[in-house]
Amino acid sequence: KLNIGADTVQHGVEGLTYLLTESSKLMISEIDFQDSIHVLGFSDELNKLLLQLYLDNRKEIRSILSELAPKLPSYHSLEWRLDVQLASRSLRQQIKPAVTLKLHLNQDEDQIAQVLQTDPSTLLHLIQQLEQALGEMKTNHCRRIVRNMK
Amino acid sequence: MRFRFCGDLDCPDWVLAEISTLAKISSVKLKLICAQVLRDLLGDAIEYEKILKLTSDAKLESGDVKATIAVLSFILSSAAKHNVDSESLSSELQQLGLPKEHASGLCRSYEEKQSSLQDSLRACSLRLSQLGSVRWRVDYTLSSSELREVNEPLVHLVFNLRDGERGGMAAVPIAISADKFRVLLAELKQAQALMNTLL
């Protein structure tokens, strides 16, 4: 319908995509955008159209780009059980408590599970460490940074 | 305030907020919705259209209907988890602001199904692997490439395991000589005797 070869159309689309993603990525201002495309020598009307296209779609492009960053596995749920070992082949009359944990993680739309086992004193130590980590958020240093980010 | 059905902890804020939504539904309809939620907790399919019909009188929005199902699931499964009897549950729910008829209707449904709920929760507790079945075969080796006359019995065992980590069945084959098999059997019988002393 445009009476041009398929290659030209493809290059045009790729060029536009590159222009919009780079501009959205760098979050450049209107004036900088206008200056940049002025160099290409298009008509004023086309420049205005491109600017409008950029401003309208900037936010959506940025939200799509933010999802492309690599992600570590994230927490989904935790199952646990508390067992007591009473006897084994080598030794009878024992009392050995153990906590078995199954950590369910989400990684890139898959679910993976990690099984861990620990004794109660290590578990208490783990809880203490995690509570200390949470407590770090309340220190002045962290509070200052959080305030500045807002 | 500590509640037994929350495991002697404070009641979560979202549960408190939804108690007022529960009070909007009539107590008879609430008992029927409880029956549906119990079906879902016990593993049968939940009939969402029935619940929608029952809540249509109270003019709840779709978000409120889902919140009702969520709060009822929490109350019933948490009470079963902490082995709360139905009178204590009724009094604790009334302390939270649920009207008396609603609380007693809910607790009657809970009492009927308490032991089946606890059984189903026990069955889905964390378990790493589970023995499905054992198949066996006894062979008699006549001779081999190493020795002309062997004349030894050999036991083949196949354990079908349900793998807890990844789900699915796995078959573990073992071939075991007669002496080793006798040792295995003796040790397992000792373990079984120990288990019987605990039951």
Side-chain angles (χ1 to χ4, degrees):
Chain A
K1 269 195 283 196
L2 293 168
N3 270 339
I4 332 173
D7 277 348
T8 323
V9 177
Q10 186 178 347
H11 288 154
V13 172
E14 282 170 5
L16 260 177
T17 318
Y18 185 71
L19 174 66
L20 285 171
T21 45
E22 287 299 304
S23 321
S24 306
K25 175 163 76 171
L26 299 164
M27 195 69 173
I28 57 178
S29 64
E30 285 182 41
I31 308 179
D32 286 336
F33 186 81
Q34 274 173 325
D35 288 341
S36 319
I37 54 179
H38 192 65
V39 186
L40 298 165
F42 293 140
S43 66
D44 268 337
E45 203 187 305
L46 190 57
N47 286 348
K48 248 188 265 167
L49 253 160
L50 284 171
L51 180 64
Q52 203 51 44
L53 193 65
Y54 166 59
L55 289 172
D56 288 338
N57 293 309
R58 172 162 62 173
K59 222 166 157 203
E60 202 180 324
I61 297 177
R62 277 182 75 82
S63 69
I64 298 174
L65 287 173
S66 72
E67 286 175 30
L68 290 175
K71 270 195 274 207
L72 292 169
S74 64
Y75 174 78
H76 181 253
S77 60
L78 179 70
E79 286 179 84
W80 58 266
R81 63 185 283 154
L82 174 64
D83 293 315
V84 175
Q85 181 173 302
L86 296 170
S88 67
R89 187 183 178 203
S90 353
L91 185 63
R92 306 298 153 85
Q93 318 275 12
Q94 294 175 27
I95 297 192
K96 208 163 138 197
V99 179
T100 311
L101 303 165
K102 191 166 173 185
L103 188 60
H104 291 267
L105 303 168
N106 282 332
Q107 178 162 37
D108 302 328
E109 336 264 303
D110 284 329
Q111 282 232 7
I112 54 179
Q114 185 85 335
V115 179
L116 307 161
Q117 198 174 48
T118 172
D119 55 275
S121 44
T122 314
L123 183 64
L124 282 172
H125 179 68
L126 182 69
I127 295 174
Q128 203 183 40
Q129 291 295 314
L130 289 172
E131 283 180 344
Q132 269 184 15
L134 267 181
E136 274 299 304
M137 278 295 290
K138 301 204 179 105
T139 61
N140 285 329
H141 182 67
C142 282
R143 281 215 182 108
R144 245 180 279 141
I145 295 180
V146 171
R147 244 180 284 141
N148 285 331
M149 282 206 289
K150 293 207 187 118
Chain B
M1 269 216 64
R2 290 170 186 274
F3 291 95
R4 271 187 60 196
F5 82 94
C6 300
D8 291 328
L9 296 170
D10 292 329
C11 182
D13 291 334
W14 65 274
V15 174
L16 270 172
E18 294 306 322
I19 294 274
S20 51
T21 318
L22 287 182
K24 283 193 218 164
I25 313 172
S26 78
S27 66
V28 174
K29 297 224 168 74
L30 187 66
K31 192 155 186 271
L32 292 167
I33 300 178
C34 268
Q36 285 294 320
V37 172
L38 279 166
R39 278 188 56 177
D40 176 50
L41 288 172
L42 289 168
D44 296 324
I46 193 173
E47 284 166 357
Y48 196 62
E49 300 81 40
K50 277 202 189 154
I51 300 187
L52 278 176
K53 241 193 331 164
L54 290 165
T55 54
S56 59
D57 292 348
K59 298 199 185 33
L60 295 177
E61 304 166 355
S62 72
D64 283 339
V65 175
K66 290 182 192 156
T68 308
I69 301 177
V71 76
L72 285 173
S73 290
F74 174 79
I75 293 176
L76 293 165
S77 58
S78 190
K81 190 200 299 197
H82 296 109
N83 205 21
V84 180
D85 60 282
S86 81
E87 284 104 50
S88 316
L89 182 63
S90 176
S91 79
E92 286 185 346
L93 288 174
Q94 286 177 50
Q95 282 177 37
L96 286 171
L98 193 64
K100 189 159 188 275
E101 317 82 57
H102 294 71
S104 43
L106 205 160
C107 294
R108 240 175 290 133
S109 308
Y110 167 68
E111 194 171 352
E112 285 165 28
K113 296 281 180 171
Q114 184 180 359
S115 47
S116 354
L117 249 180
Q118 286 178 326
D119 285 338
S120 107
L121 288 173
R122 189 173 300 131
C124 66
S125 292
L126 175 60
R127 196 150 170 188
L128 291 177
S129 61
Q130 210 169 343
L131 183 61
S133 61
V134 181
R135 300 198 323 258
W136 59 266
R137 189 178 86 187
V138 177
D139 287 347
Y140 194 75
T141 313
L142 294 171
S143 98
S144 75
S145 55
E146 315 293 312
L147 184 63
R148 180 120 71 105
E149 293 222 8
V150 177
N151 294 334
E152 287 271 317
L154 190 66
V155 181
H156 290 275
L157 293 168
V158 176
F159 297 102
N160 285 318
L161 293 177
R162 183 179 305 279
D163 189 356
E165 286 183 53
R166 279 164 287 273
M169 303 287 287
V172 181
I174 305 180
I176 187 169
S177 70
D179 291 331
K180 279 256 179 195
F181 184 68
R182 275 187 214 108
V183 173
L184 176 66
L185 195 59
E187 297 287 338
L188 286 176
K189 280 188 177 159
Q190 285 182 21
Q192 187 187 33
L194 270 169
M195 277 170 67
N196 285 334
T197 62
L198 292 169
L199 282 173

